[in-house]
Amino acid sequence: QGENLLYCFEVAPTQPALTMVTQCRTEGSTRGLAAVPRLALDVMACEVLRVLQLTDTALVPVSFLVPRKSVQEFHEDLFPDCTGTLPATGAQGWWAGDNQQVGRVSLHPARRPTETFTSPIIAGTSPTSTGHTDTDTGHTDADTGHTDADQTSGYSSPSSLASPGSTATLLSASTGPSSGFASSPSQKSLQSILGPSSRFRHAQGRVLHRDRHLTNLRGLSLTTPGECDGFCANHQRVALPLLSAGGQIAVLELSKPGRLPDTAVPTIQNGVAVADLTWDPFDPRRLAVEVPAEHFGIRLWRVPEGGLQETLQEPEAILRGHTEKIYSVRFHPMASDLLVSSSYDMTVRIWELSTGREVLCLQGHTDQIFSMAWSPDGKKLATVSKDGRIRLYEPRRSSQPQQEGPGPEGGRGARLVWVCGGDYLLVSGFDSRSERRILLYRAQALPEGPLSVLGLDVAPSTLLPFYDEDTSVVFLTGKGDTRVFLYEVTPEPPYFLECNSFTSNEPHKGFVFLPKTACEVREVEFA
C-alpha cells in the first residue's frame, strides 16, 4: 500500500523458489489490490491474470497477457481447468467429515458451466433446530453409493443437491480422470510458457541522490551529429560541447558535484564547432576532438592535473589527413597512442599519436560511415555504413575489408558494438519503415546476415548501445528518449532476453557510461 510498483513472480518448490517474471509501474499509488477470479479472464486474448488496483480516486484494472501468435484459438496450456463456483458439501456435511473438493470447470468459452448456486435465506430459528436447508440435506449420508453415470460431471446443479440419491456426483473426487477433479496434465510452469528469461531481468535503474549531480549546466550544444554521443566521460571528468562561438568545451570534475556557478566556467577553446570527442582510455587527461567544416582535423587537448583552472587555447597536437568532414573517432582498447577516425571522404584512418602521423587508411566504403568499433582484443575493426553494409577489417593485415555483410536497411543511422566475448556484433539501426531494431551477427559469418533481428519501437533517433561484458547486458537509448532498454545477449536462441527497462523523467540530451571501476560493487551496482 502506498507504492506504485506491482511485481509478478513465479513460485516453485525448488530453488530459486521465487523468480521475477515482470513488474508493472502504475500511475497512482496503491490503496488496495484484488485479483479478478479466473472465470472472468478474457482467455481468448491470452489474459492470464487481472488485478484491480484501488487508488485515491479510481479502480484501475491491470491485465497480464502472454503473447501468442494466434488469439483465435483457446490455449489449453495457459488455461487448465479451474475451481468452479458450486459448493462441494454443506456445513453439516463438513462437520460430519465430508472432505469433497469443489469441482473443476473448463475456461473454454464454449464449455463454461451455466449452473449457479444461491445460498439459502437464514431462518430465524435456534441453532438446535432440526430443520435443514436443501443444501445440507444432500450431504447427510457420506456413504451413499454412486454409479459411473454420476462420475461424468465435475459439478452438480443446485437441483441435484436437494436429493440424497444424487450426492454421488459430489463424492467422486478420486474415482478417475472423468470426475473433473483431477489436476490437468497441461498445467505447465509459467517459465516454460514464456520461454527462457534473463538472470538480470530484475536489474533496476536508479537515479542517484542529487548531491551526486552536476547542475546549472548552461549553454550546452545540442546539435552534435548523430554519430556523436553528445558528450564524453571517464572516471575523473566529463567533457561537454557548448553552444557558444569558438567551439568551446566545458570540462567538469566528477569529484566536485553540485551546482555550477552562474558565471562562466573555464573551457577548452577548440576554435570551431565540435563533431565528436572522446577521452583516451589510458590517459584521463587527454581529450581527442574532431573538427568539422574546412579544417578536417583532430585536435588533441591535455587537461591539467586537477582539472581546468583557466581557459585552454592551444592543443597539444593537430592530426591532418582527411579531405572531408570528420565525424567519429575511437581510441584503441589495448595499445596506447593509437586512434582511428572516420570521415565523409569515406575512409577510416588510423593515427599514431606519438609521432602525430597517419599510419594506415582503410578503404572499401561507398557511403557515409555511421559507426565503428574495435574488437575487445584490439585485433579487428568493424564498421557499419549508410550503403547498408557491415565491414570487418584486420588493419595489421590489409587496408581492405576482410568480410562484408548486409547491415540495417534504413539509411537514417546505425551503431555497432562487439558482444559475447568478441564473437558477435550487435548493430542498432532502422528498417525501411523507420522502426528501430537491433540485429545480432556472428563476427566470423557476416555474409550470412543477422542471426536475429528484434524490433523495438518507432522513433527518430539512433539507439546508442552500451555493452557490459561481465553480465552480457546491452543498454540502448537514443537522444531525446526517456526510456533505456536492457537486454541480455546470449549466443543461443532466442539471443535477446528482455530485462527491466529504465525510464527517466526528462529526455536524454546525451548518454554515456562510466568505466566499470566507478561502480559501487558493495551495492551490486554493475553499470
Side-chain angles (χ1 to χ4, degrees), residues 188-256:
K188 298 179 181 177
S189 73
L190 202 53
Q191 194 77 23
S192 63
I193 293 170
L194 297 175
S197 59
S198 170
R199 295 170 296 159
F200 308 103
R201 61 191 172 277
H202 49 270
Q204 283 194 311
R206 178 168 57 92
V207 178
L208 297 185
H209 192 270
R210 285 191 66 83
D211 61 15
R212 302 277 295 275
H213 298 196
L214 285 156
T215 60
N216 200 33
L217 303 179
R218 293 165 173 250
L220 297 179
S221 172
L222 306 178
T223 56
T224 51
E227 294 76 27
C228 174
D229 290 343
F231 70 114
C232 65
N234 60 27
H235 63 282
Q236 292 184 359
R237 49 185 64 94
V238 295
L240 301 148
L242 301 180
L243 199 57
S244 53
Q248 295 185 43
I249 302 167
V251 177
L252 308 175
E253 299 298 304
L254 292 176
S255 60
K256 300 174 183 176

Side-chain angles (χ1 to χ4, degrees), residues 51-392:
V51 175
L52 296 179
Q53 179 207 25
L54 179 66
T55 67
D56 290 331
T57 59
L59 200 59
V60 182
V62 181
S63 181
F64 292 83
L65 307 176
V66 173
R68 285 292 167 92
K69 288 183 179 177
S70 171
V71 291
Q72 305 300 321
E73 56 190 68
F74 178 73
H75 295 279
E76 305 248 358
D77 58 329
L78 290 181
F79 303 104
D81 291 352
C82 74
T83 304
T85 59
L86 302 177
T89 185
Q92 292 196 357
W94 183 81
W95 283 113
D98 190 349
N99 292 320
Q100 297 308 306
Q101 304 298 301
V102 172
R104 300 185 78 83
V105 299
S106 173
L107 289 172
H108 194 296
R111 301 199 292 269
R112 291 286 178 94
T114 56
E115 297 89 346
T116 59
F117 171 79
T118 304
S119 55
I121 297 172
I122 300 173
T125 56
S126 67
T128 55
S129 168
T130 56
H132 299 312
T133 65
D134 284 348
T135 311
D136 291 338
T137 309
H139 300 284
T140 52
D141 182 3
D143 297 318
T144 304
H146 51 262
T147 64
D148 288 344
D150 292 326
Q151 296 176 26
T152 58
S153 171
Y155 47 83
S156 303
S157 65
S159 59
S160 71
L161 294 178
S163 67
S166 64
T167 57
T169 52
L170 300 165
L171 305 180
S172 56
S174 58
T175 54
S178 61
S179 68
F181 291 106
S183 65
S184 168
S186 64
Q187 287 186 42
K188 298 179 181 177
S189 73
L190 202 53
Q191 194 77 23
S192 63
I193 293 170
L194 297 175
S197 59
S198 170
R199 295 170 296 159
F200 308 103
R201 61 191 172 277
H202 49 270
Q204 283 194 311
R206 178 168 57 92
V207 178
L208 297 185
H209 192 270
R210 285 191 66 83
D211 61 15
R212 302 277 295 275
H213 298 196
L214 285 156
T215 60
N216 200 33
L217 303 179
R218 293 165 173 250
L220 297 179
S221 172
L222 306 178
T223 56
T224 51
E227 294 76 27
C228 174
D229 290 343
F231 70 114
C232 65
N234 60 27
H235 63 282
Q236 292 184 359
R237 49 185 64 94
V238 295
L240 301 148
L242 301 180
L243 199 57
S244 53
Q248 295 185 43
I249 302 167
V251 177
L252 308 175
E253 299 298 304
L254 292 176
S255 60
K256 300 174 183 176
R259 179 182 170 88
L260 297 178
D262 293 335
T263 55
V265 295
T267 60
I268 292 175
Q269 294 277 4
N270 196 56
V272 289
V274 174
D276 193 15
L277 69 175
T278 185
W279 291 105
D280 187 329
F282 305 112
D283 184 349
R285 293 167 51 203
R286 181 155 65 176
L287 180 69
V289 180
E290 296 81 272
V291 178
E294 70 280 359
H295 298 269
F296 313 141
I298 301 167
R299 301 192 177 194
L300 299 175
W301 297 89
R302 184 170 296 276
V303 177
E305 198 72 55
L308 277 187
Q309 305 300 327
E310 57 184 15
T311 298
L312 274 187
Q313 295 185 329
E314 288 300 322
E316 189 175 71
I318 299 178
L319 309 175
R320 289 193 173 94
H322 283 292
T323 58
E324 293 280 351
K325 173 183 173 182
I326 303 169
Y327 45 76
S328 189
V329 69
R330 296 288 182 269
F331 277 96
H332 195 277
M334 299 293 167
S336 62
D337 292 332
L338 265 186
L339 188 72
V340 62
S341 61
S342 59
S343 160
Y344 277 110
D345 61 15
M346 291 183 284
T347 65
V348 173
R349 302 182 188 233
I350 299 177
W351 309 83
E352 201 169 288
L353 304 186
S354 55
T355 60
R357 65 185 181 88
E358 174 192 319
V359 288
L360 185 65
C361 180
L362 303 180
Q363 307 286 345
H365 297 94
T366 60
D367 208 331
Q368 178 186 353
I369 303 154
F370 283 140
S371 180
M372 56 187 179
W374 289 105
S375 60
D377 59 12
K379 294 178 181 178
K380 298 176 181 178
L381 182 74
T383 67
V384 58
S385 171
K386 193 174 182 179
D387 59 16
R389 307 292 290 171
I390 298 174
R391 295 174 174 85
L392 196 60

